[in-house]
Amino acid sequence: MTSKKSIKNRVVGKLKQVEGKLTQDKVREAEGKVQATHGKAQAKAEKLKKKAAKEKAKLAE
């Protein structure tokens, strides 16, 4: 399951992107893209951590 923190970053990032597009603020839009990408990276890292823990448990058996 994805953490609340990564979901929050993806949602807030997307909102910033939309706000930037509506106000034609390229900096705000770019901030949103960065934050959304950060949220996606967090989710991937969490999945990899869980997968590594499972593999470690298998090897320990």
Side-chain angles (χ1 to χ4, degrees), residues 4-59:
K4 291 179 184 178
K5 193 173 188 178
S6 66
I7 293 171
K8 177 188 169 241
N9 276 326
R10 291 182 0 207
V11 170
V12 172
K14 188 63 178 174
L15 290 172
K16 284 181 182 180
Q17 284 179 355
V18 171
E19 178 189 11
K21 283 182 182 181
L22 290 174
T23 60
Q24 295 180 349
D25 184 352
K26 297 292 182 187
V27 173
R28 187 71 169 173
E29 189 176 348
E31 286 175 358
K33 283 185 181 182
V34 169
Q35 190 166 359
T37 303
H38 179 70
K40 288 178 186 176
Q42 282 177 320
K44 285 251 188 207
E46 290 166 13
K47 286 181 184 178
L48 289 174
K49 252 183 169 176
K50 287 179 185 178
K51 187 175 181 180
K54 284 181 184 178
E55 291 298 320
K56 184 179 178 183
K58 279 185 186 179
L59 292 174

